[in-house]
Amino acid sequence: MQELLARIAAQSSGWIELRYQGRSTKQIAVRNGELEESSSKRIQGIGIRALVDGVFGFASTTDLTEGGILKAIEAAQGAARTSASAKKHRIEDLATASFGVGSFPVPTQDPLDAHPLEEKLALVLRIDNLIRSGSASIVSSTTSYGEIQDEKYIVTTDGAKAHLFTSIPEFRVMAVAEKDGNQCFGNLSNAVTGGWSDLFADRSPEEMVDYAVAMAVEQLSAPHPAGGTATVILDPGLVGVLSHEAIGHTVEADIVLGGAITAEKMNEKVASELITMIDSPHTEYSPFATGILPVDDEGVEGRKTTLIENGILRSYLHNRETAAHFGVEPTGNARAFEYSDAPIIRMRNTYIEPGKASLEEMIGGVKDGYYMCGLGFGGQADSNAEFMFGVREARRIVDGKIGELVRGATISGNAFDVLMSVDAVGDDFKWDLGAGSCGKGQAAKVDAGGPHLRCKATIGGRQ
Amino acid sequence: MIQETQLRERCREALELTKKHGADDVEIYAEASTAISTEIEKQDLQMSSSRQETMIGIRAIVDHRIGFASTNALEDLEATCTDAVKLAKASPSNEHNVLPEPRPVEALSELFDPQAEAFSVSDAVRHAIQIIELAEKKDPRLVLGNGEFSVDMTGRCLVTSRGIDLFERNSLFLYNALATAKDGDVVSNMAFGFDAVHSVDAIDIQAIVDKACDDALGSLGATSGESFAGPVLLAPQAVQAVLAGFLSFQLNGKNVLRGSSRWGKMLGNAVAHPSLTVVDDGRLSGGAMSGAFDREGAPRQRFVLIDKGEAQGLMHNTFTAHAMGTTSTGHASGSARALPGIGPSNFMILPGDQSKADLVAGMKQGLLVNRFAGSSNPISGDFSGVAKAAYLIKDGKIDRPVTGTLIAGNAFEMVKTLSGISSETERVFTAILPYIRLEGVSVTAE
C-alpha cells in the first residue's frame, strides 16, 4: 500500500496528501451483570487532500485500487478548483517541515490481539459483579472495555512517507449507590497507548472498583461544599483537564485566528512563573500516554512544543497552514480521527512540568481549602478560557490536613487567572485523562496530566 | 447512483456466510452513502469535500447470544461475518435477544429527490456562497463565523434470516449558518440557523440566514439582567436543549427497563400540564428523520408519547419490547456501525393555542431565552445553565437584551406547571418545537 501511494504521489501534479487508515475496534459493555454490547468494527479507506490555486479540497474513498485512488484524487482536486474562484483568502504557502519517514510501531511487549475475546469479556463480567458486591448500598454497576488499533500510511508529494501504528485499550467502571431514594455515583477509567498489561500497570481493575465503590458510598452522606473562592490543590487529573480543556484549546492556532483570548498575548505573562506547559507527541516522565503521535496526519514529525515557559506564553499549536501564516515551524498537531476526516489542529499529550514541592508540604501549607481529584460530571470551557468542571472527588483541607469528602463540587474561573495564582507545583507526575476523547467536530485520543498544583479557584456547590 | 441490486446482493451474501459460520439468526444492515459538502468559515469558503462509503453491520444470534461486527471493507466480508458469530458464541445468553418478525412496511415516496443525483461540488459551493452573500447583504455588522452546505445520499438495506428484506433511498440537504453581530466593541451572542430537507426545491437558504442574523442582531447591546423567580419563555432551540432530551429519555423503553425513568410506571397518568402533547412521527412529510422502517425493519409510525399531559406510550426496539411483553414501536435507532439503540425520529411538541406575542404579553416580569448552554439531567430533571440571546420582559413587552443570566429549575415540576405553548413552531435539528412558557424558574443575573 505504501509503495502504491508513493508511486501515485510521485506521478501527481500539484500538492497532495494521501492517508490510508485501517482501524479495528472492539467494545464490550456490561451493566448490572447483563452484557449490553460485544462488538467489533473494521474500517479502512483513504483520505486525500489536494491544494489547488491556494485552496484545499478533500475526498475520501474505500476503493483502495489504483483506479479508485486516482478517482478520489481527481475529486479532491476538483473540489479545490471549484471553490478557488470564489474564495477570498487563498493559502499562499504551506510551511516547510521535517517530514516523517519510516515505520513507527507501538512499543508494547503484550499486544492486544494476543489476548482472546473470552479473556476480555470474562474480565468485564467479573469486575462488574465485583462492583455490585462491593457494598450493600450499591444499586447499579457499569463496566466496559474498548480498544482501538490503527495502522496508517501517510504520503505527501513533498516528502512524508510514514507507516504508523497505534494501540489504545481502555477500561471504565461506574458504581451507583443509593440511600433513601438519593443516588450518588463513583467512577474511574484507565486508558493507555500500549498493550493489555500496560492498561493496568498503574492501577488494577480491582483497585478501580474499590475506588468507584468507596466514592459512590461515601458521597451518600457527604455534605455539599460552601461556594466561594478557595485555596485548592488540584491532582494531576484535574491539572490535565485544566491544561487541555481550558488552556490548550485557546492555543490551537485555528481557534486563535477565530478570536481566542490568547490572540494578543504571545510572549506575555499569562501564568505564574512556576508554570511551564507542554504539548508533546511523546510520553515524558511516565509511559503509556494516549496522545503519542510521532508523525501527524500531514506527515509532519511531531515536536515537543512549549506553550507556556515560566509563565510566559511562547507558542501556539500549528498545522502547516497556520505555521506559514504565523511564520513559524509546524508543531505536528494536524490530526484526523478517521480516514474520512480531514486533518485539523488537535492536541496530543498536554501537561504541566513538575516542580519542587512535595504533596505533604503543599497540603501542610493550607489552613482552609480543598483537595480536588479528577473530572466529575459535566464541564465546559470557552475560547476565552472561562471554564466550569465537575469534580470527581473533593475533600476539605483544614489546618494542613485532608478532611471530609464533599459532594457535587464544581470548580470554575478563568484558567489563566487560576494559573496566575499557582504558588506551589508538585514534584510528582501522572498522565490521568482516563478513557476520554477530545471532541472538535471529530474525535481525537489525547492525554493530559502533570504534578499536583496549589492555586486559587471558585468552588461551587449545589446549584 | 447507489445500486439497490448490488447492495441487496452483498447483504444476502453476508447473511448466508454468517449462517454458514454457525448463527441461528442473522440481521444484516447496510448503508451506502455519498456526501458532498462545502464549509464556511469567517465569511469565506473553506474546504469542499466528497466522501463515499458502504458500511455493513452484522448481528449474529446463537442460542440467544448476540455478537455484532461491522465493516466498510467489503472485499473482506467473510471475516466480519465470522467475527460476529465468534462474539456471539463468547457472550452470555439473554432470552430477549431475538430478531423481529417481518411486518408490513409501506414505502415513503418523498425521501429521495432524483435531482440530488446530479448535485455536484460546484452546486454545494454555489449554495454556500449564497449563505455568505445573503448574510453580508443583510447588515454590515454581521459576521458569519461558521456554516456549511451539504448533501448526503444514502441507500440503506436490511435483510434478516426472519424474512425481512427492505431497501430505502434517501437524499438530505443540510445547511446551517452561525452568525455573530459586532457593533464597535459590542459583540452579540452567537446565533444559529439550520435546516434539513429531502428535495432540491425545498432548499430555503434565506430562512436560515434570516434566523441566525436576526437573532444575532437582536441580542446586540445586551447588558446585565435581573434576578427573580418567575416565568421564562423558552424559544424552540432552548426547548430542545432543556426539555426535548428529558422527555424522550423518560419515555425510552431502555431507561424504563434500567429503572432510571420515573415515568415508566406512569402510563395513563398525568405527568405534565394538559396542554402538552408530544408526538414522534417517523413518517412525517418532509421530516429530516422520516423513513418507512426503523433500524430493525419495524414500520415507522406516528406515535403519541404524551397526550394532553398523560404519559401514553414508551418507545421500544425489539429487545425492550420483548422484555416488557409488547411489540416494537419502530424506534430502533442507529447506524450500521452499531447495535440498534432506541430513539425518537421526528420529535414534536404539538403547538398550543396562544401566539408567541400573547405569551410575551402575559408576563409582568420574565425572560425570553433563545438558546440554552448548560446541563439538563434527564434522570433528576434538574437543569441549570446560561440563557443565551435572552431578553428581559417587563409589563408584557420585550424590554432589552440581557447577558450573563443563569436559569435553573426542575423539568419534572415545570412540565406540570407550564403556563403556555405557542401556536408557532420551528424545526430544531430533527425536532419540531413551539415556544413554551415555564413558571417559577430561578433566574440569576451574574
Side-chain angles (χ1 to χ4, degrees):
Chain A
M1 175 58 70
Q2 191 169 19
E3 291 318 310
L4 174 64
L5 296 182
R7 182 155 51 81
I8 290 173
Q11 291 164 359
S12 294
S13 61
W15 182 89
I16 54 169
E17 165 193 287
L18 301 159
R19 177 169 44 86
Y20 162 86
Q21 185 177 9
R23 164 167 290 180
S24 111
T25 67
K26 287 192 175 59
Q27 188 67 34
I28 299 167
V30 170
R31 190 184 174 101
N32 297 333
E34 298 276 349
L35 181 71
E36 292 221 321
E37 181 180 2
S38 174
S39 68
S40 70
K41 184 167 69 193
R42 282 197 284 183
I43 54 166
Q44 59 177 28
I46 295 186
I48 294 162
R49 261 198 323 174
L51 185 63
V52 181
D53 299 337
V55 180
F56 277 125
F58 180 82
S60 68
T61 181
T62 53
D63 183 346
L64 306 183
T65 63
E66 183 163 358
I69 297 168
L70 290 173
K71 210 171 133 195
I73 291 174
E74 264 176 47
Q77 289 175 331
R81 205 172 292 120
T82 307
S83 38
S85 58
K87 184 148 167 66
K88 296 169 193 159
H89 302 285
R90 312 283 182 92
I91 299 164
E92 285 172 18
D93 208 358
L94 294 177
T96 53
S98 175
F99 292 110
V101 175
S103 186
F104 301 85
V106 178
T108 179
Q109 305 302 314
D110 190 12
L112 297 175
D113 289 340
H115 293 262
L117 170 75
E118 288 79 2
E119 180 184 353
K120 294 165 183 168
L121 184 62
L123 176 75
V124 176
L125 283 163
R126 180 172 71 78
I127 292 302
D128 195 66
N129 285 328
L130 199 60
I131 296 172
R132 273 168 295 115
S133 59
S135 158
S137 307
I138 300 295
V139 292
S140 171
S141 60
T142 310
T143 308
S144 66
Y145 168 80
E147 61 182 48
I148 298 179
Q149 295 190 80
D150 276 343
E151 180 180 14
K152 281 185 181 183
Y153 294 105
I154 299 161
V155 174
T156 65
T157 46
D158 50 6
K161 194 180 171 191
H163 185 195
L164 297 124
F165 298 86
T166 306
S167 163
I168 301 179
E170 51 188 47
F171 197 82
R172 301 165 191 255
V173 296
M174 183 166 94
V176 181
E178 189 177 302
K179 190 171 136 194
D180 305 331
N182 176 12
Q183 288 195 342
C184 289
F185 74 93
N187 65 326
L188 204 59
S189 67
N190 275 0
V192 296
T193 296
W196 179 249
S197 53
D198 304 326
L199 178 57
F200 302 112
D202 186 49
R203 52 194 164 210
S204 70
E206 290 80 6
E207 285 169 330
M208 293 172 74
V209 170
D210 288 346
Y211 178 85
V213 168
M215 211 36 55
V217 173
E218 217 181 317
Q219 285 192 77
L220 286 173
S221 50
H224 290 271
T229 303
T231 299
V232 295
I233 293 175
L234 305 179
D235 84 326
L238 274 181
V239 168
V241 170
L242 188 77
S243 303
H244 173 97
E245 203 63 40
I247 303 280
H249 284 298
T250 73
V251 296
E252 292 170 336
D254 54 338
I255 306 283
V256 174
L257 289 170
I261 189 173
T262 51
E264 309 293 330
K265 302 215 165 177
M266 187 51 74
N267 295 317
E268 288 184 14
K269 189 167 191 299
V270 294
S272 150
E273 58 270 22
L274 297 172
I275 296 294
T276 292
M277 187 184 294
I278 310 285
D279 180 78
S280 174
H282 313 299
T283 179
E284 284 89 355
Y285 297 107
S286 178
F288 312 131
T290 54
I292 295 174
L293 194 73
V295 177
D296 79 0
D297 287 314
E298 292 184 323
V300 173
E301 263 186 352
R303 287 176 40 197
K304 178 176 162 182
T305 307
T306 301
L307 303 170
I308 298 172
E309 185 182 29
N310 301 324
I312 311 291
L313 182 66
R314 291 296 189 203
S315 179
Y316 301 134
L317 297 172
H318 292 287
N319 58 18
R320 294 184 65 189
E321 182 186 349
T322 64
H325 176 92
F326 284 93
V328 296
E329 278 186 55
T331 53
N333 285 81
R335 303 182 66 180
F337 190 59
E338 291 194 347
Y339 76 93
S340 54
D341 293 317
I344 56 172
I345 297 174
R346 310 302 297 266
M347 279 170 267
R348 300 160 301 190
N349 301 312
T350 313
Y351 64 93
I352 288 174
E353 291 268 14
K356 296 199 168 85
S358 74
L359 181 57
E360 290 70 29
E361 285 164 21
M362 288 165 73
I363 294 168
V366 179
K367 196 165 162 34
D368 183 10
Y370 292 92
Y371 180 44
M372 308 196 118
C373 301
L375 182 67
F377 182 71
Q380 63 163 66
D382 288 335
S383 61
N384 60 6
E386 298 288 342
F387 70 94
M388 193 278 285
F389 302 132
V391 177
R392 192 179 69 213
E393 175 184 0
R395 292 182 186 276
R396 293 282 310 278
I397 302 176
V398 180
D399 293 332
K401 290 198 175 59
I402 291 188
E404 68 173 353
L405 185 79
V406 293
R407 66 188 280 196
T410 62
I411 174 173
S412 61
N414 181 290
F416 289 108
D417 293 344
V418 170
L419 289 188
M420 202 67 95
S421 75
V422 168
D423 71 350
V425 177
D427 57 6
D428 55 343
F429 186 91
K430 194 171 176 178
W431 297 113
D432 204 8
L433 209 57
S437 287
C438 171
K440 188 177 168 185
Q442 47 177 286
K445 295 306 291 185
V446 295
D447 218 330
H452 282 83
L453 288 187
R454 190 169 63 199
C455 56
K456 289 218 166 10
T458 305
I459 309 303
R462 189 164 220 165
Q463 289 282 345
Chain B
M1 178 77 178
I2 288 153
Q3 300 295 334
E4 175 177 351
T5 321
Q6 252 178 359
L7 199 60
R8 274 190 198 267
E9 275 170 14
R10 294 319 294 266
C11 288
R12 287 172 184 154
E13 182 194 344
L15 182 83
E16 291 311 319
L17 285 168
T18 312
K19 278 174 86 168
K20 188 184 92 183
H21 285 286
D24 307 333
D25 259 323
V26 185
E27 174 195 78
I28 310 292
Y29 185 62
E31 290 169 319
S33 63
T34 63
I36 291 169
S37 73
T38 296
E39 294 160 25
I40 299 164
E41 211 173 285
K42 283 192 282 172
Q43 227 129 307
D44 194 4
L45 294 175
Q46 273 303 106
M47 200 158 60
S48 294
S49 38
S50 68
R51 296 175 169 85
Q52 63 81 17
E53 183 177 76
T54 298
M55 194 82 197
I56 291 194
I58 299 168
R59 179 154 55 142
I61 303 187
V62 182
D63 295 334
H64 295 289
R65 301 156 193 268
I66 280 196
F68 181 82
S70 58
T71 189
N72 69 359
L74 303 193
E75 58 282 3
D76 202 14
L77 197 53
E78 186 159 9
T80 308
C81 300
T82 53
D83 276 356
V85 174
K86 203 176 127 198
L87 289 163
K89 286 182 174 168
S91 298
S93 150
N94 184 327
E95 59 175 315
H96 305 304
N97 286 333
V98 293
L99 290 183
E101 298 300 328
R103 286 156 65 186
V105 169
E106 192 189 336
L108 267 176
S109 59
E110 54 186 25
L111 299 177
F112 182 74
D113 180 357
Q115 292 183 78
E117 297 277 14
F119 218 80
S120 67
V121 172
S122 56
D123 294 311
V125 166
R126 187 165 46 82
H127 283 91
I129 291 171
Q130 203 192 347
I131 295 176
I132 297 170
E133 288 181 349
L134 286 175
E136 281 175 343
K137 257 188 228 154
K138 214 168 160 67
D139 195 303
R141 293 173 297 172
L142 286 164
V143 181
L144 197 68
N146 283 97
E148 186 171 11
F149 186 94
S150 71
V151 54
D152 283 25
M153 276 173 292
T154 310
R156 58 190 194 113
C157 185
L158 187 83
V159 176
T160 76
S161 55
R162 294 275 156 170
I164 292 175
D165 194 336
L166 296 164
F167 179 86
E168 187 171 74
R169 206 186 286 280
N170 193 333
S171 56
L172 202 59
F173 298 87
L174 298 129
Y175 43 103
N176 67 71
L178 190 69
T180 317
K182 270 187 190 167
D183 197 350
D185 287 343
V186 182
V187 182
S188 77
N189 274 144
M190 283 190 302
F192 190 58
F194 165 93
D195 208 359
V197 299
H198 292 283
S199 72
V200 174
D201 296 341
I203 296 170
D204 185 357
I205 302 281
Q206 185 76 55
I208 65 133
V209 171
D210 284 348
K211 171 79 187 146
C213 294
D214 292 346
D215 284 358
L217 288 168
S219 70
L220 265 177
T223 48
S224 193
E226 294 176 3
S227 298
F228 61 93
V232 165
L233 182 59
L234 300 177
Q237 287 185 19
V239 169
Q240 204 258 349
V242 175
L243 294 177
F246 162 80
L247 293 168
S248 59
F249 181 95
Q250 285 293 324
L251 294 166
N252 180 323
K254 194 171 179 181
N255 299 324
V256 175
L257 268 187
R258 285 173 169 178
S260 43
S261 159
R262 280 192 215 171
W263 286 356
K265 294 175 193 141
M266 295 185 68
L267 290 189
N269 295 307
V271 294
H273 191 269
S275 62
L276 187 75
T277 294
V278 181
V279 170
D280 184 59
D281 189 350
R283 296 179 62 86
L284 181 73
S285 176
M289 296 289 282
S290 290
F293 55 93
D294 76 355
R295 166 69 180 78
E296 296 178 312
R300 288 262 179 82
Q301 57 177 322
R302 183 182 164 90
F303 187 78
V304 178
L305 294 161
I306 296 176
D307 187 23
K308 299 190 186 72
E310 278 182 13
Q312 282 292 311
L314 299 177
M315 295 183 285
H316 285 294
N317 62 13
T318 302
F319 180 90
T320 61
H322 195 269
M324 295 178 74
T326 178
T327 47
S328 167
T329 53
H331 284 101
S333 65
S335 72
R337 285 178 170 230
L339 278 166
I342 296 179
S345 48
N346 301 299
F347 181 88
M348 301 187 288
I349 296 180
L350 297 193
D353 50 12
Q354 286 172 278
S355 68
K356 175 194 168 191
D358 288 344
L359 291 171
V360 171
M363 290 193 274
K364 193 163 168 24
Q365 182 191 28
L367 194 70
L368 166 62
V369 178
N370 277 300
R371 287 193 304 120
F372 172 81
S375 63
S376 173
N377 183 329
I379 300 178
S380 67
D382 290 335
F383 64 87
S384 67
V386 183
K388 300 268 187 184
Y391 298 84
L392 196 64
I393 294 171
K394 283 280 178 73
D395 299 323
K397 290 197 176 65
I398 291 181
D399 185 52
R400 59 187 171 90
V402 291
T403 185
T405 304
L406 300 164
I407 60 169
N410 184 279
F412 282 112
E413 293 161 20
M414 288 175 184
V415 294
K416 282 188 184 153
T417 58
L418 67 87
S419 63
I421 296 180
S422 75
S423 49
E424 302 96 330
T425 59
E426 284 173 21
R427 178 144 54 197
V428 185
F429 301 104
T430 58
I432 297 175
L433 304 167
Y435 289 77
I436 295 184
R437 192 170 68 200
L438 302 180
E439 293 293 329
V441 181
S442 146
V443 178
T444 312
E446 280 179 336

